[in-house]
Amino acid sequence: MLNELLDRAIKGDEIAIAKLLTKIEYMTEDGIHALDYLITKSGNSHVIGITGIPGAGKSTLIGGLIQEYVSRGHKVGVIVIDPSSPFTMGSFMGNRIRMQDKTLLKNVFIRSIASRGHLGGISAEALMLTEALDGLGYDRIIIETVGAGQTDTEISESVHTILVLTVPGTGDDIQALKAGIMEIGDIYIVNKADRPDADLTYNYIRFAIESSEMPFRDGWKPIVVKTIATRNEGIKELVDKIEEHREFLIRNELFKKKVLNRRMKILELMARKQLSEIVNKIIKEKDNILLKEPISISLRQIILQVKELLDKRYQNI
Amino acid sequence: MTIKRVKVLVAKLGLDGHDRGAKVVARALKDAGMEVVYTGLRQTPEQIVKAAIQEDADVIGISILSGAHLELIPKVIQLMRQNGLNDVGLIVGGVIPPEDINKLKDMGVDEVFLPGSSLKEIIDKVKKIAREKRGINVE
């Protein structure tokens, strides 16, 4: 049954691929078996991560990238992540809207996935789907993170090329100089570049890059580009830059290293998720003093209590 | 292991630009703990079925207010059958004349919701379909 599904998926049957991805994202026994096999075939795809604030135009930009990559003869896998509700765990995923006109193109597979409790913009599940699509022969894979904030940098060890998307009007040069998301980009994109202040934003980011005395990560000096995703302007040039970065990684023997980093990241994200589930459970435990006296308790007591609870829990692991 | 969540694809079929209803339903399904993929306005039957395939959706929810349901829904059903999506639920909502409800159901639509349907009714029905057609354990 699994072998049949896997065979069909390898032959390109999209229904089989989709069902396989579901098994993998839920880590069923079959899913784990399938991924074990596919991972032996994966590691060749160039994986591109796109991050940025909600509404910056990530999904629309991906629509443009899909079109451009398909026209260059690539097989494109797209994984878009949207947030799960912290209250109901439900999710309203709307990324697909901006790329639905590309959905009927041959050699394009788009899949939405909810963040399911992962913070930081990316999830272990999304990276496992990446491994699977990679193993199935999609040679360009684009991952769209959850709309990100300043510290959502988990994508940085998960992909080959990081695109950080911003828009005019998101603040001055101080914002561009801050730690976190403005440090991780291989390519920074000022989208909606037809808006006023696009040049200012562009220059702020350029200044942040040029003023750095630190060695650049991987020895790659980040690039800044302007796009108008809704009008498909700047997309060709952007793809040229991504491909330039890809060649840079291959030339400097960093391509395989990034694949290994991605696999380490899957491990790390899964471990983190497990830990945060444990922490959540501890917090809700009935004998938890924090619940009984949240106001009158002293900070010292809280710290001691947390330490004690964690020690107790670690003994049980 | 994470429990399987019901995945619903919500789409506006054909040429009609009114999506408030579809958004309200999509949001209610999210609030009921489901994972909803909303594909937006002016979708063709091909686009909807393709998205349902790639997303491995458990249920497709189509909103249509244009009056073209008897032309367009059969195309969706035909494409679903051609692609072997026999275990995927299909619900239709919108301005549907009462006399067309049974026609749509005879074609293979699992349920039709008219204006005035309660969100609870819709949520319960989606859960029921997901349970019966996809074997998903929903509370």
Side-chain angles (χ1 to χ4, degrees):
Chain A
M1 182 70 187
L2 172 67
N3 285 338
E4 190 221 319
L5 198 63
L6 199 52
D7 276 348
R8 279 170 51 205
I10 291 164
K11 285 181 188 130
D13 175 346
E14 291 201 347
I15 294 173
I17 295 173
K19 290 203 180 296
L20 212 52
L21 294 187
T22 304
K23 289 179 192 295
I24 291 169
E25 64 172 282
Y26 281 102
M27 284 183 253
T28 66
E29 203 52 42
D30 280 354
I32 291 166
H33 273 301
L35 192 59
D36 268 348
Y37 171 75
L38 289 174
I39 215 159
T40 64
K41 307 278 171 204
S42 99
N44 303 309
S45 172
H46 189 81
V47 182
I48 301 151
I50 301 193
T51 191
I53 55 172
K58 296 184 289 298
S59 304
T60 310
L61 189 88
I62 290 175
L65 292 179
I66 292 172
Q67 183 88 56
E68 183 61 25
Y69 269 124
V70 167
S71 75
R72 294 187 189 197
H74 292 287
K75 243 182 124 173
V76 186
V78 181
I79 294 162
V80 291
I81 316 171
D82 253 339
S84 296
S85 161
F87 306 111
T88 66
M89 284 304 278
S91 180
F92 186 122
M93 299 184 273
N95 313 77
R96 234 192 139 96
I97 300 176
R98 327 282 172 192
M99 40 188 107
Q100 260 307 85
D101 57 332
K102 311 293 187 299
T103 203
L104 294 177
L105 289 174
K106 240 189 128 192
N107 290 334
V108 176
F109 195 100
I110 305 170
R111 178 74 169 227
S112 317
I113 184 167
S115 62
R116 297 194 189 130
H118 283 281
L119 302 173
I122 187 133
S123 67
E125 290 86 340
L127 292 181
M128 289 193 288
L129 298 192
T130 305
E131 294 291 348
L133 288 177
D134 187 341
L136 287 168
Y138 288 84
D139 65 340
R140 291 293 181 279
I141 297 176
I142 305 168
I143 305 176
E144 178 183 347
T145 71
V146 169
Q150 286 176 313
T151 58
D152 291 326
T153 54
E154 294 282 15
I155 189 79
S156 73
E157 293 301 321
S158 314
V159 297
H160 287 103
T161 303
I162 301 169
L163 313 182
V164 175
L165 201 59
T166 186
V167 287
T170 44
D172 57 10
D173 52 342
I174 300 300
Q175 300 304 335
L177 287 167
K178 284 186 179 175
I181 200 168
M182 292 309 289
E183 293 177 294
I184 64 170
D186 297 303
I187 301 172
Y188 293 89
I189 303 163
V190 180
N191 192 33
K192 310 190 188 183
D194 51 338
R195 297 225 174 148
D197 290 351
D199 286 336
L200 262 182
T201 304
Y202 177 87
N203 286 332
Y204 291 151
I205 301 170
R206 283 290 305 277
F207 169 67
I209 295 165
E210 298 293 340
S211 61
S212 171
E213 290 267 311
M214 289 231 308
F216 295 113
R217 187 167 43 107
D218 303 332
W220 166 265
K221 186 177 173 184
I223 298 172
V224 193
V225 299
K226 285 189 263 184
T227 56
I228 308 170
T230 49
R231 286 200 242 133
N232 225 23
E233 282 178 34
I235 304 298
K236 261 192 176 49
E237 295 76 5
L238 173 60
V239 170
D240 288 342
K241 296 292 179 201
I242 297 170
E243 292 301 301
E244 213 173 280
H245 183 243
R246 171 184 153 80
E247 277 152 30
F248 171 88
L249 292 178
I250 293 170
R251 205 165 51 237
N252 291 283
E253 293 177 356
L254 291 164
F255 191 88
K256 289 283 170 207
K257 188 180 151 239
K258 300 246 170 203
V259 174
L260 294 180
N261 286 351
R262 176 173 88 216
R263 291 176 185 166
M264 284 303 292
K265 198 72 186 180
I266 295 177
L267 258 176
E268 184 197 323
L269 288 171
M270 276 167 65
R272 268 181 205 284
K273 194 181 177 191
Q274 299 263 319
L275 274 176
S276 81
E277 275 164 18
I278 291 172
V279 171
N280 286 342
K281 257 190 219 153
I282 290 175
I283 288 172
K284 284 176 193 147
E285 268 169 14
K286 281 200 178 63
D287 59 343
N288 187 347
I289 188 171
L290 302 177
L291 276 185
K292 282 184 211 146
E293 300 179 74
I295 294 171
S296 59
I297 199 167
S298 77
L299 189 57
R300 190 186 159 74
Q301 275 175 295
I302 291 178
I303 292 166
L304 285 173
Q305 176 83 11
V306 168
K307 198 174 171 313
E308 188 188 320
L309 286 169
L310 280 175
D311 284 348
K312 198 168 75 187
R313 180 65 63 160
Y314 276 130
Q315 282 161 14
N316 296 338
I317 287 177
Chain B
M1 208 180 82
T2 324
I3 41 159
K4 169 79 175 101
R5 300 206 158 258
V6 180
K7 196 168 189 181
V8 188
L9 188 99
V10 176
K12 288 286 307 176
L13 175 62
L15 293 176
D16 104 59
H18 303 277
D19 59 353
R20 183 169 277 253
K23 284 172 179 163
V24 168
V25 170
R27 189 244 158 91
L29 296 175
K30 176 208 88 176
D31 289 340
M34 299 182 209
E35 294 185 339
V36 184
V37 176
Y38 181 54
T39 60
L41 288 167
R42 296 181 203 92
Q43 298 290 296
T44 63
E46 288 80 6
Q47 285 175 317
I48 292 173
V49 173
K50 182 82 160 183
I53 289 171
Q54 295 187 342
E55 297 291 351
D56 194 16
D58 302 308
V59 179
I60 302 173
I62 288 177
S63 160
I64 184 160
L65 306 171
S66 64
H69 48 276
L70 290 183
E71 283 74 41
L72 293 175
I73 296 291
K75 287 189 182 151
V76 172
I77 291 170
Q78 191 197 352
L79 284 167
M80 285 174 72
R81 290 201 177 128
Q82 269 173 19
N83 286 287
L85 301 187
N86 305 318
D87 59 342
V88 176
L90 177 64
I91 59 171
V92 174
V95 184
I96 313 279
E99 61 270 27
D100 288 350
I101 293 176
N102 280 335
K103 287 183 200 161
L104 289 172
K105 285 190 174 171
D106 289 343
M107 290 171 193
V109 173
D110 290 298
E111 192 57 271
V112 177
F113 291 102
L114 301 185
S117 306
S118 80
L119 290 171
K120 186 174 180 307
E121 263 176 81
I122 298 172
I123 291 164
D124 288 345
K125 190 70 196 185
V126 171
K127 283 183 178 170
K128 188 164 177 272
I129 294 170
R131 196 163 39 231
E132 288 173 359
K133 286 201 152 178
R134 306 279 285 190
I136 299 172
N137 206 356
V138 269
E139 66 285 357

